[in-house]
Amino acid sequence: MIIKNVSLDIVCGITSKLPETKRPEIAFAGKSNVGKSSLINALMNRKALARTSSQPGKTQTINFYNINEAMYLVDLPGYGYAKVSPSEKAKWGKMIEKYLHTSKDLKAVFLLVDIRHEPSANDKQMYDWILHNGYEPIIIATKLDKLKRSQVQKSIKAVREGLKLPKEGILIPFSAETKQGREEIWNLMDELTGLGEETEKEQKA
């Protein structure tokens, strides 16, 4: 997709009413510091629209980023952060669950994991939870640039086995530094939202 304009349109807190955007939505989940904001900024071709932070648990709301008035990238609160009470975590969990259950426009959920480590208990729990809520998570293995090239295939295998991904399960290695994987993610999102066909028509016109 050619990015013409992006904006943070909607921010939902624990007590907010979830919106009906009437546009295709793609959601992103992942634990704190896995590079979710960096990925979303890279996808939007922006440096700091999604706020990155060294402080875990910075995203405490569901953030809807409007792309070209055509679709939304939806940033879900990070999980696994240390400085939040269990009751707060439970509230965010319910908020995310409500979103997964009630959104009529959600087309897919991307789950981010750190390619350098085997999936944590939290990663596995989130993967199973997304499945339980009716979506087959698409895995983005972040921080690819932190690995030597010789380590990549072994690390991908460890992530696949750790999450018990089915053979047909999609895993895309990604680097916010080099943007490797960005085009692959966009091609997939265009396909999932049906917007790729519209882009082709525009290019031919």
Side-chain angles (χ1 to χ4, degrees), residues 102-153:
T102 59
S103 174
K104 293 173 183 164
D105 303 297
L106 181 59
K107 303 299 179 191
V109 181
F110 285 79
L111 176 61
L112 280 64
V113 297
D114 189 329
I115 197 168
R116 298 171 300 174
H117 311 294
E118 287 189 17
S120 67
N122 273 328
D123 291 330
K124 293 172 190 173
Q125 194 176 3
M126 194 67 178
Y127 178 82
D128 291 340
W129 192 58
I130 294 166
L131 270 180
H132 177 70
N133 280 288
Y135 294 90
E136 183 78 47
I138 297 159
I139 307 303
I140 299 178
T142 61
K143 307 189 189 276
L144 178 62
D145 50 282
K146 309 284 187 198
L147 287 183
K148 292 177 184 166
R149 194 172 288 181
S150 60
Q151 298 171 310
V152 172
Q153 286 311 314

Side-chain angles (χ1 to χ4, degrees), residues 59-77:
T59 306
Q60 299 182 9
T61 49
I62 299 179
N63 298 333
F64 291 73
Y65 294 94
N66 186 334
I67 312 286
N68 294 351
E69 298 294 328
M71 68 172 290
Y72 282 93
L73 300 186
V74 182
D75 185 6
L76 300 175

Side-chain angles (χ1 to χ4, degrees), residues 192-205:
L192 289 163
T193 57
L195 294 172
E197 294 161 26
E198 290 176 28
T199 306
E200 279 178 37
K201 283 178 194 166
E202 279 176 25
Q203 287 170 345
K204 285 175 184 172

Side-chain angles (χ1 to χ4, degrees), residues 8-14 16-19 51 60-65 95:
L8 174 56
D9 256 19
I10 305 159
V11 176
C12 288
I14 289 163
S16 306
K17 187 173 184 286
L18 288 164
R51 284 165 298 176
Q60 299 182 9
T61 49
I62 299 179
N63 298 333
F64 291 73
Y65 294 94
M95 178 169 68

Side-chain angles (χ1 to χ4, degrees), residues 16-123:
S16 306
K17 187 173 184 286
L18 288 164
E20 278 192 42
T21 64
K22 305 282 197 265
R23 294 189 182 104
E25 297 166 9
I26 302 282
F28 294 85
K31 66 184 172 196
S32 306
N33 290 359
V34 76
K36 191 153 47 71
S37 298
S38 299
L39 167 72
I40 290 170
N41 283 326
L43 291 173
M44 297 190 296
N45 274 343
R46 297 295 186 273
K47 282 193 174 161
L49 190 55
R51 284 165 298 176
T52 57
S53 173
S54 57
Q55 196 181 344
K58 192 73 178 170
T59 306
Q60 299 182 9
T61 49
I62 299 179
N63 298 333
F64 291 73
Y65 294 94
N66 186 334
I67 312 286
N68 294 351
E69 298 294 328
M71 68 172 290
Y72 282 93
L73 300 186
V74 182
D75 185 6
L76 300 175
Y79 57 86
Y81 27 74
K83 293 186 180 175
V84 177
S85 71
S87 62
E88 277 300 287
K89 284 187 195 178
K91 284 178 189 170
W92 290 342
K94 280 179 186 164
M95 178 169 68
I96 297 169
E97 191 164 31
K98 187 178 173 191
Y99 168 66
L100 295 178
H101 273 290
T102 59
S103 174
K104 293 173 183 164
D105 303 297
L106 181 59
K107 303 299 179 191
V109 181
F110 285 79
L111 176 61
L112 280 64
V113 297
D114 189 329
I115 197 168
R116 298 171 300 174
H117 311 294
E118 287 189 17
S120 67
N122 273 328
D123 291 330

